Amino acid sequence: MSDNVYVVGASMIPMGKYPDASYAGLATPPLIEALAGAGVAKEDVGAVFCGTSFGGMMTAQRITKAVGIGNVPTINVDNACSGGATAVHLAWQAIAEGRVDVAVVIGVDKLTQFGGGTLPLVPEDREVHQGVVMPAVYAMRAQRYLYETDATVEDFARVSVKSRAHGALNPLAQMRTPTSIEQVLASRSIADPFTLFMCCPTGDGAAVVVMVSEAYYRRTGGPAIRVRASVLHSGMVDEGTERSLIRPTISEHSARDAYAMAGLGPEDLDTIELHDAFASAEIMYYETFGLAPWGEGFRLLRDGSTTFGGSVVVNPSGGLLSKGHPVGASGVAQVAEMFWQLTDTAGARQVEKARIGMTHVTGGGLSGLDHGACTMHIFEGV
Amino acid sequence: MTVLTRGETGPAPFNDMLSLDLRAEGADGPYLRGTRCARCGQLHAGERIVCSTCVSTDVEPCALASRGSVYTYTILGVGPTAPFTFAYVDLDDGVRILAHLVTVDTPIIGMPVRVEFDETGWIFTEATTEGEHA
C-alpha cells in the first residue's frame, strides 16, 4: 500500500446560514461542481465517504441519490470536527490499497438546526454532564498558556485579526470584515480570556473533493495535488496532573507521523490550514508543528511569519475563525483550500509559489482526552 | 459497587449512568468518589470497572483527595448558568478533575482549593486554613 493518490476536483458552498436547505440541499451543488471540475463521470465513482456529525442516518445516500450515484460502497463517518478529514483519510486508504480508482469525499453539517449556541456535546461524558462546553475547554488551555508563557491576550487577538484579513479575501468565508486588536478585545466576553471574535462562528457548510488513483490520473491529467501524507490518530486518556494542557499531544504525534510519511519537515511547508476553532489554539499548533519552539509560537504573529509574505501562510482561507465551523464540513473544506492553493487557483488569497501544504483538524471534547481524533494531511502540487 | 459482573450468558452492562454524581460523605467530611487499581495503583476519578492504565478489573472504590490546587480556570460568560467558573483542579493525590469553582475573588492559578457540597452538587472553593474541613 503506497500507490500515489491525487485530489483532482474540489468545491464548496460559501459557509453561512441556510435554514431552508437540507443536508442534500447543502451538499449536492458542490458535489455536481466537484465532479464536473474533475471531469469525472458518475459511473467512474467507486466509493463515497461522507463526514458528518449531525446529519442523521444515511446522510451520504441522501446526497448522492440526487445525482444517481449508487451501487458503490458508501460510508458515513463521524469523528466530530475531524469527521470530514477522516473521510478523506478513508478515501486515500481505499485508493492507495488499490480497491477503487475514484472516490468522492463529502463533508457536511448544518448547525442552524440547533438555533444557535455552543456545539452540542454528548451528555454521557462526565465533563459534559458537568456542563462544560468547547469554548470553556479551550479557554482553560488559553488561560494556562498565558500563565506559562510570555504571550498576552493581545496575541490571541492577533490571530483573529490575521484570520479576518485572510477571510476578507475569501468569498467562501462568513466573516469578511477586517478587524483590529482593539475591536477583538472589545467584543463581548465568552469565556475569559476569549472574546466573541476569538471564537469560530457556527453555521452550515458542505465541501466535496474527488480523489483518484495514479492510474486514473495518468489517463485523465488536469489540475491535481498529490497526497504526501495521510494520518489519523485517536486520543489517549490521561487524567493525571503531569499532563500539560498547552501541549496538544494528539496533534504532536500526528504531525510527527505526517512529516515522517511525507519525508518532509516544517521548513518545507508553504501553507497550512489548521484547526483554529479558538484563537489561542492556532498559536499552540505553531509550536506543536515545529514552526516555533514551545512557548514561543505567539512571536510568529508579532513578526508576520504566518500571513501573506511570511515564511508559511497559516489559514490563507481565513480558517475556522472566519469561515465558520460546520463540524463535518471543515476537514473537507481545508483539503479543498489546499487543492486551490497548490493548483494556483486560489484567487485573491493565493499563497505565492505554494507547492507544499498541510491540513490539520482535531475532533471531540471528551473528559481525559486531549481530543478524540486528529487527522492531518500533507499535499504537493503536481 | 464497581465490579465487572457476568450474567449467565456473558458480561453484564455497567450501569455507569447511575454514578455520574461523585459525591460521598466520609468520617473526615465530604469527598469525591474515585477508583483505585489494586494491581498498578493508578487512581481514577469516578466509578470504574477497569483500569485504563493496566486493564486490570481488580479495581476498588476509594476517596479522592478533597484538597488540591487550581491548574487552570475560565469564567464562562454564556449559557443558562452564566457567569460560571470552571477549573481543572489538580488533587493532592495526582488526579486532575474538572470542577465548578466558587471563589470570593477572581481565581488564581495555583490557589489551594477544597471540595464542598452545596445545593448544586459539588464545588471547589478556596482552602484558607490548613487542615480545615467543610
Side-chain angles (χ1 to χ4, degrees):
Chain A
M1 178 173 116
S2 63
D3 200 9
N4 283 326
V5 177
Y6 297 83
V7 179
V8 295
S11 179
M12 64 183 276
I13 56 172
M15 288 185 178
K17 293 178 169 46
Y18 306 105
D20 296 331
S22 69
Y23 271 70
L26 295 173
T28 305
L31 173 59
I32 297 165
E33 194 177 283
L35 286 170
V40 167
K42 71 172 183 178
E43 291 77 13
D44 285 354
V45 175
V48 177
F49 299 91
C50 177
T52 181
S53 277
F54 302 106
M57 284 188 257
M58 306 284 169
T59 301
Q61 289 88 333
R62 278 153 39 208
I63 296 159
T64 54
K65 75 171 191 176
V67 295
I69 291 174
N71 294 322
V72 296
T74 292
I75 299 173
N76 290 285
V77 184
D78 165 47
N79 239 345
C81 307
S82 211
T86 301
V88 172
H89 175 74
L90 291 173
W92 164 79
Q93 211 170 50
I95 295 167
E97 288 172 352
R99 288 187 281 127
V100 295
D101 274 320
V102 179
V104 163
V105 182
I106 303 167
V108 59
D109 258 314
K110 180 180 170 178
L111 300 185
T112 55
Q113 66 183 301
F114 301 114
T118 60
L119 194 69
L121 302 175
V122 178
E124 291 189 349
D125 181 78
R126 175 165 48 82
E127 293 186 351
V128 178
H129 179 75
Q130 287 176 253
V132 83
V133 289
M134 292 314 288
V137 172
Y138 278 90
M140 284 189 279
R141 294 171 187 163
Q143 200 72 264
R144 186 74 194 184
Y145 188 82
L146 292 176
Y147 176 79
E148 287 194 35
T149 72
D150 293 329
T152 65
V153 71
E154 284 77 15
D155 292 314
F156 298 157
R158 284 185 177 94
V159 175
S160 304
V161 171
K162 174 179 75 70
S163 165
R164 290 287 196 89
H166 295 184
L169 304 172
N170 184 0
L172 299 167
Q174 286 192 77
M175 313 302 278
R176 303 200 59 209
T177 313
T179 189
S180 64
I181 291 176
E182 293 72 28
Q183 284 174 318
V184 174
L185 295 178
S187 64
R188 75 184 164 98
S189 175
I190 299 296
D192 70 322
F194 294 157
T195 62
L196 182 66
F197 289 5
M198 297 180 199
C199 307
C200 66
T202 62
D204 308 324
V208 177
V209 297
V210 180
M211 298 172 69
V212 305
S213 66
E214 176 83 35
Y216 192 94
Y217 172 67
R218 281 204 191 130
R219 282 202 303 277
T220 56
I225 62 174
R226 185 157 62 95
V227 180
R228 291 285 300 262
S230 180
V231 170
L232 172 62
H233 276 231
S234 63
M236 175 59 91
V237 67
D238 184 351
E239 297 172 281
T241 54
E242 295 300 308
R243 175 175 153 202
S244 168
L245 289 188
I246 64 169
R247 281 186 67 147
T249 48
I250 187 173
S251 295
E252 190 181 351
H253 296 158
S254 299
R256 176 199 63 203
D257 288 0
Y259 288 143
M261 185 183 272
L264 298 168
E267 64 284 358
D268 298 310
L269 303 174
D270 299 305
T271 183
I272 302 172
E273 284 279 320
L274 58 74
H275 193 140
D276 59 334
F278 298 89
S280 57
E282 175 160 330
I283 295 176
M284 289 181 224
Y285 290 136
Y286 292 167
E287 301 163 12
T288 306
F289 300 159
L291 305 177
W294 290 106
E296 305 281 327
F298 62 93
R299 300 194 193 284
L300 302 186
L301 286 154
R302 294 188 189 177
D303 68 16
S305 295
T306 55
T307 188
F308 294 102
S311 51
V312 53
V313 183
V314 175
N315 292 336
S317 72
L320 310 185
L321 284 169
S322 289
K323 282 191 293 194
H325 186 21
V327 190
S330 291
V332 184
Q334 288 181 331
V335 175
E337 181 68 18
M338 281 303 148
F339 178 75
W340 295 317
Q341 290 292 347
L342 303 179
T343 57
D344 200 21
T345 54
R349 63 186 189 283
Q350 179 65 49
V351 176
E352 218 178 315
K353 297 197 178 88
R355 200 175 66 83
I356 305 281
M358 183 164 82
T359 60
H360 159 264
V361 57
T362 64
L366 289 177
S367 60
L369 302 186
D370 168 3
H371 286 285
C374 179
T375 319
M376 295 189 70
H377 285 89
I378 297 176
F379 300 98
E380 178 178 16
V382 294
Chain B
M1 184 64 190
T2 59
V3 289
L4 178 66
T5 53
R6 287 183 66 86
E8 285 184 11
T9 55
F14 170 33
N15 294 323
D16 55 344
M17 299 293 286
L18 301 177
S19 56
L20 279 170
D21 187 348
L22 306 184
R23 283 180 293 178
E25 195 82 36
D28 293 334
Y31 68 89
L32 299 179
R33 285 180 295 122
T35 302
R36 183 190 310 278
C37 176
R39 188 207 278 175
C40 77
Q42 183 69 47
L43 274 178
H44 305 277
E47 250 187 327
R48 311 282 173 106
I49 54 170
V50 63
C51 174
S52 58
T53 300
C54 76
V55 205
S56 169
T57 55
D58 187 7
V59 295
E60 57 201 14
C62 68
L64 295 177
S66 56
R67 287 173 170 267
S69 62
V70 172
Y71 173 77
T72 188
Y73 73 94
T74 186
I75 302 168
L76 185 65
V78 295
T81 54
F84 190 92
T85 304
F86 279 111
Y88 276 113
V89 171
D90 283 357
L91 300 177
D92 290 347
D93 54 18
V95 171
R96 179 172 295 156
I97 193 161
L98 180 74
H100 177 198
L101 187 63
V102 178
T103 57
V104 177
D105 301 309
T106 304
I108 298 165
I109 288 177
M111 75 189 290
V113 290
R114 61 178 163 80
V115 72
E116 256 187 39
F117 297 162
D118 71 2
E119 64 285 355
T120 65
W122 53 274
I123 59 171
F124 271 80
T125 187
E126 289 140 308
T128 44
T129 314
E130 204 59 39
E132 180 192 3
H133 294 305

